[in-house]
PDB file of all heavy atoms in Angstrom:
ATOM      1  N   GLU A 381      28.781 -20.831 -46.507  1.00  0.00           N
ATOM      2  CA  GLU A 381      28.641 -20.390 -47.897  1.00  0.00           C
ATOM      3  C   GLU A 381      29.133 -18.955 -48.058  1.00  0.00           C
ATOM      4  O   GLU A 381      28.648 -18.039 -47.403  1.00  0.00           O
ATOM      5  CB  GLU A 381      27.158 -20.477 -48.280  1.00  0.00           C
ATOM      6  CG  GLU A 381      26.892 -20.586 -49.762  1.00  0.00           C
ATOM      7  CD  GLU A 381      27.472 -21.841 -50.377  1.00  0.00           C
ATOM      8  OE1 GLU A 381      27.043 -22.947 -50.019  1.00  0.00           O
ATOM      9  OE2 GLU A 381      28.376 -21.687 -51.214  1.00  0.00           O
ATOM     10  N   THR A 382      30.107 -18.753 -48.926  1.00  0.00           N
ATOM     11  CA  THR A 382      30.571 -17.389 -49.192  1.00  0.00           C
ATOM     12  C   THR A 382      30.283 -16.972 -50.642  1.00  0.00           C
ATOM     13  O   THR A 382      30.135 -15.795 -50.915  1.00  0.00           O
ATOM     14  CB  THR A 382      32.089 -17.249 -48.930  1.00  0.00           C
ATOM     15  OG1 THR A 382      32.773 -18.247 -49.669  1.00  0.00           O
ATOM     16  CG2 THR A 382      32.414 -17.381 -47.450  1.00  0.00           C
ATOM     17  N   VAL A 383      30.245 -17.932 -51.564  1.00  0.00           N
ATOM     18  CA  VAL A 383      29.879 -17.599 -52.946  1.00  0.00           C
ATOM     19  C   VAL A 383      28.357 -17.717 -53.019  1.00  0.00           C
ATOM     20  O   VAL A 383      27.811 -18.812 -52.937  1.00  0.00           O
ATOM     21  CB  VAL A 383      30.552 -18.564 -53.943  1.00  0.00           C
ATOM     22  CG1 VAL A 383      30.137 -18.224 -55.375  1.00  0.00           C
ATOM     23  CG2 VAL A 383      32.068 -18.512 -53.813  1.00  0.00           C
ATOM     24  N   VAL A 384      27.667 -16.579 -53.146  1.00  0.00           N
ATOM     25  CA  VAL A 384      26.210 -16.637 -53.049  1.00  0.00           C
ATOM     26  C   VAL A 384      25.501 -16.537 -54.395  1.00  0.00           C
ATOM     27  O   VAL A 384      24.286 -16.610 -54.461  1.00  0.00           O
ATOM     28  CB  VAL A 384      25.671 -15.550 -52.075  1.00  0.00           C
ATOM     29  CG1 VAL A 384      26.121 -15.827 -50.668  1.00  0.00           C
ATOM     30  CG2 VAL A 384      26.091 -14.155 -52.503  1.00  0.00           C
ATOM     31  N   GLY A 385      26.263 -16.362 -55.456  1.00  0.00           N
ATOM     32  CA  GLY A 385      25.617 -16.339 -56.769  1.00  0.00           C
ATOM     33  C   GLY A 385      26.423 -15.573 -57.783  1.00  0.00           C
ATOM     34  O   GLY A 385      27.602 -15.250 -57.567  1.00  0.00           O
ATOM     35  N   ARG A 386      25.802 -15.278 -58.905  1.00  0.00           N
ATOM     36  CA  ARG A 386      26.466 -14.566 -60.002  1.00  0.00           C
ATOM     37  C   ARG A 386      25.434 -13.648 -60.658  1.00  0.00           C
ATOM     38  O   ARG A 386      24.268 -14.027 -60.802  1.00  0.00           O
ATOM     39  CB  ARG A 386      27.005 -15.593 -61.004  1.00  0.00           C
ATOM     40  CG  ARG A 386      27.521 -15.024 -62.301  1.00  0.00           C
ATOM     41  CD  ARG A 386      28.007 -16.124 -63.216  1.00  0.00           C
ATOM     42  NE  ARG A 386      29.281 -16.669 -62.786  1.00  0.00           N
ATOM     43  CZ  ARG A 386      30.473 -16.104 -63.004  1.00  0.00           C
ATOM     44  NH1 ARG A 386      30.554 -14.970 -63.650  1.00  0.00           N
ATOM     45  NH2 ARG A 386      31.569 -16.681 -62.595  1.00  0.00           N
ATOM     46  N   GLU A 387      25.892 -12.465 -61.052  1.00  0.00           N
ATOM     47  CA  GLU A 387      25.055 -11.583 -61.872  1.00  0.00           C
ATOM     48  C   GLU A 387      25.909 -11.132 -63.036  1.00  0.00           C
ATOM     49  O   GLU A 387      26.869 -10.361 -62.856  1.00  0.00           O
ATOM     50  CB  GLU A 387      24.575 -10.369 -61.056  1.00  0.00           C
ATOM     51  CG  GLU A 387      23.342 -10.691 -60.211  1.00  0.00           C
ATOM     52  CD  GLU A 387      22.825  -9.467 -59.453  1.00  0.00           C
ATOM     53  OE1 GLU A 387      23.209  -8.325 -59.801  1.00  0.00           O
ATOM     54  OE2 GLU A 387      22.057  -9.673 -58.499  1.00  0.00           O
ATOM     55  N   GLY A 388      25.629 -11.643 -64.218  1.00  0.00           N
ATOM     56  CA  GLY A 388      26.467 -11.338 -65.373  1.00  0.00           C
ATOM     57  C   GLY A 388      27.877 -11.830 -65.112  1.00  0.00           C
ATOM     58  O   GLY A 388      28.095 -12.995 -64.781  1.00  0.00           O
ATOM     59  N   ASN A 389      28.853 -10.910 -65.263  1.00  0.00           N
ATOM     60  CA  ASN A 389      30.248 -11.300 -65.016  1.00  0.00           C
ATOM     61  C   ASN A 389      30.634 -11.194 -63.549  1.00  0.00           C
ATOM     62  O   ASN A 389      31.776 -11.485 -63.188  1.00  0.00           O
ATOM     63  CB  ASN A 389      31.191 -10.412 -65.826  1.00  0.00           C
ATOM     64  CG  ASN A 389      31.094 -10.718 -67.309  1.00  0.00           C
ATOM     65  OD1 ASN A 389      30.935 -11.863 -67.694  1.00  0.00           O
ATOM     66  ND2 ASN A 389      31.154  -9.678 -68.129  1.00  0.00           N
ATOM     67  N   ASP A 390      29.726 -10.744 -62.743  1.00  0.00           N
ATOM     68  CA  ASP A 390      30.066 -10.514 -61.333  1.00  0.00           C
ATOM     69  C   ASP A 390      29.742 -11.730 -60.466  1.00  0.00           C
ATOM     70  O   ASP A 390      28.634 -12.288 -60.528  1.00  0.00           O
ATOM     71  CB  ASP A 390      29.294  -9.316 -60.782  1.00  0.00           C
ATOM     72  CG  ASP A 390      29.829  -7.994 -61.339  1.00  0.00           C
ATOM     73  OD1 ASP A 390      30.906  -8.011 -61.978  1.00  0.00           O
ATOM     74  OD2 ASP A 390      29.166  -6.965 -61.142  1.00  0.00           O
ATOM     75  N   LEU A 391      30.739 -12.080 -59.682  1.00  0.00           N
ATOM     76  CA  LEU A 391      30.537 -13.129 -58.679  1.00  0.00           C
ATOM     77  C   LEU A 391      30.074 -12.431 -57.403  1.00  0.00           C
ATOM     78  O   LEU A 391      30.645 -11.411 -56.999  1.00  0.00           O
ATOM     79  CB  LEU A 391      31.876 -13.836 -58.442  1.00  0.00           C
ATOM     80  CG  LEU A 391      31.852 -15.196 -57.777  1.00  0.00           C
ATOM     81  CD1 LEU A 391      31.078 -16.195 -58.636  1.00  0.00           C
ATOM     82  CD2 LEU A 391      33.270 -15.680 -57.556  1.00  0.00           C
ATOM     83  N   LEU A 392      29.048 -12.947 -56.778  1.00  0.00           N
ATOM     84  CA  LEU A 392      28.526 -12.339 -55.555  1.00  0.00           C
ATOM     85  C   LEU A 392      29.078 -13.091 -54.351  1.00  0.00           C
ATOM     86  O   LEU A 392      28.917 -14.316 -54.237  1.00  0.00           O
ATOM     87  CB  LEU A 392      26.996 -12.384 -55.551  1.00  0.00           C
ATOM     88  CG  LEU A 392      26.317 -11.747 -56.776  1.00  0.00           C
ATOM     89  CD1 LEU A 392      24.797 -11.815 -56.647  1.00  0.00           C
ATOM     90  CD2 LEU A 392      26.752 -10.293 -56.958  1.00  0.00           C
ATOM     91  N   LEU A 393      29.752 -12.355 -53.496  1.00  0.00           N
ATOM     92  CA  LEU A 393      30.448 -12.968 -52.358  1.00  0.00           C
ATOM     93  C   LEU A 393      29.960 -12.366 -51.044  1.00  0.00           C
ATOM     94  O   LEU A 393      29.799 -11.144 -50.945  1.00  0.00           O
ATOM     95  CB  LEU A 393      31.964 -12.708 -52.470  1.00  0.00           C
ATOM     96  CG  LEU A 393      32.643 -13.204 -53.747  1.00  0.00           C
ATOM     97  CD1 LEU A 393      34.035 -12.604 -53.862  1.00  0.00           C
ATOM     98  CD2 LEU A 393      32.715 -14.721 -53.731  1.00  0.00           C
ATOM     99  N   ARG A 394      29.757 -13.222 -50.057  1.00  0.00           N
ATOM    100  CA  ARG A 394      29.342 -12.721 -48.745  1.00  0.00           C
ATOM    101  C   ARG A 394      30.567 -12.641 -47.833  1.00  0.00           C
ATOM    102  O   ARG A 394      31.339 -13.590 -47.727  1.00  0.00           O
ATOM    103  CB  ARG A 394      28.300 -13.655 -48.128  1.00  0.00           C
ATOM    104  CG  ARG A 394      27.752 -13.102 -46.806  1.00  0.00           C
ATOM    105  CD  ARG A 394      26.722 -14.013 -46.173  1.00  0.00           C
ATOM    106  NE  ARG A 394      25.499 -14.071 -46.925  1.00  0.00           N
ATOM    107  CZ  ARG A 394      24.978 -15.182 -47.432  1.00  0.00           C
ATOM    108  NH1 ARG A 394      25.596 -16.326 -47.265  1.00  0.00           N
ATOM    109  NH2 ARG A 394      23.841 -15.153 -48.088  1.00  0.00           N
ATOM    110  N   ASN A 395      30.752 -11.465 -47.180  1.00  0.00           N
ATOM    111  CA  ASN A 395      31.922 -11.304 -46.314  1.00  0.00           C
ATOM    112  C   ASN A 395      31.594 -11.731 -44.872  1.00  0.00           C
ATOM    113  O   ASN A 395      30.486 -12.187 -44.587  1.00  0.00           O
ATOM    114  CB  ASN A 395      32.477  -9.880 -46.388  1.00  0.00           C
ATOM    115  CG  ASN A 395      31.752  -8.907 -45.467  1.00  0.00           C
ATOM    116  OD1 ASN A 395      30.645  -9.191 -44.998  1.00  0.00           O
ATOM    117  ND2 ASN A 395      32.367  -7.775 -45.211  1.00  0.00           N
ATOM    118  N   TYR A 396      32.565 -11.538 -43.985  1.00  0.00           N
ATOM    119  CA  TYR A 396      32.406 -12.036 -42.610  1.00  0.00           C
ATOM    120  C   TYR A 396      31.294 -11.322 -41.845  1.00  0.00           C
ATOM    121  O   TYR A 396      30.781 -11.849 -40.859  1.00  0.00           O
ATOM    122  CB  TYR A 396      33.738 -11.913 -41.862  1.00  0.00           C
ATOM    123  CG  TYR A 396      34.152 -10.506 -41.502  1.00  0.00           C
ATOM    124  CD1 TYR A 396      33.964 -10.023 -40.212  1.00  0.00           C
ATOM    125  CD2 TYR A 396      34.731  -9.668 -42.445  1.00  0.00           C
ATOM    126  CE1 TYR A 396      34.344  -8.739 -39.872  1.00  0.00           C
ATOM    127  CE2 TYR A 396      35.107  -8.381 -42.113  1.00  0.00           C
ATOM    128  CZ  TYR A 396      34.907  -7.916 -40.825  1.00  0.00           C
ATOM    129  OH  TYR A 396      35.274  -6.660 -40.497  1.00  0.00           O
ATOM    130  N   GLU A 397      30.904 -10.121 -42.347  1.00  0.00           N
ATOM    131  CA  GLU A 397      29.808  -9.394 -41.675  1.00  0.00           C
ATOM    132  C   GLU A 397      28.451  -9.713 -42.296  1.00  0.00           C
ATOM    133  O   GLU A 397      27.438  -9.134 -41.899  1.00  0.00           O
ATOM    134  CB  GLU A 397      30.048  -7.881 -41.792  1.00  0.00           C
ATOM    135  CG  GLU A 397      31.290  -7.411 -41.065  1.00  0.00           C
ATOM    136  CD  GLU A 397      31.650  -5.977 -41.426  1.00  0.00           C
ATOM    137  OE1 GLU A 397      31.723  -5.679 -42.636  1.00  0.00           O
ATOM    138  OE2 GLU A 397      31.843  -5.168 -40.511  1.00  0.00           O
TER     139      GLU A 397
END
Side-chain angles (χ1 to χ4, degrees):
E381 203 62 64
T382 54
V383 179
V384 294
R386 171 181 285 281
E387 277 183 16
N389 290 323
D390 288 349
L391 198 62
L392 305 182
L393 302 167
R394 185 180 291 121
N395 84 343
Y396 72 101
E397 295 169 309

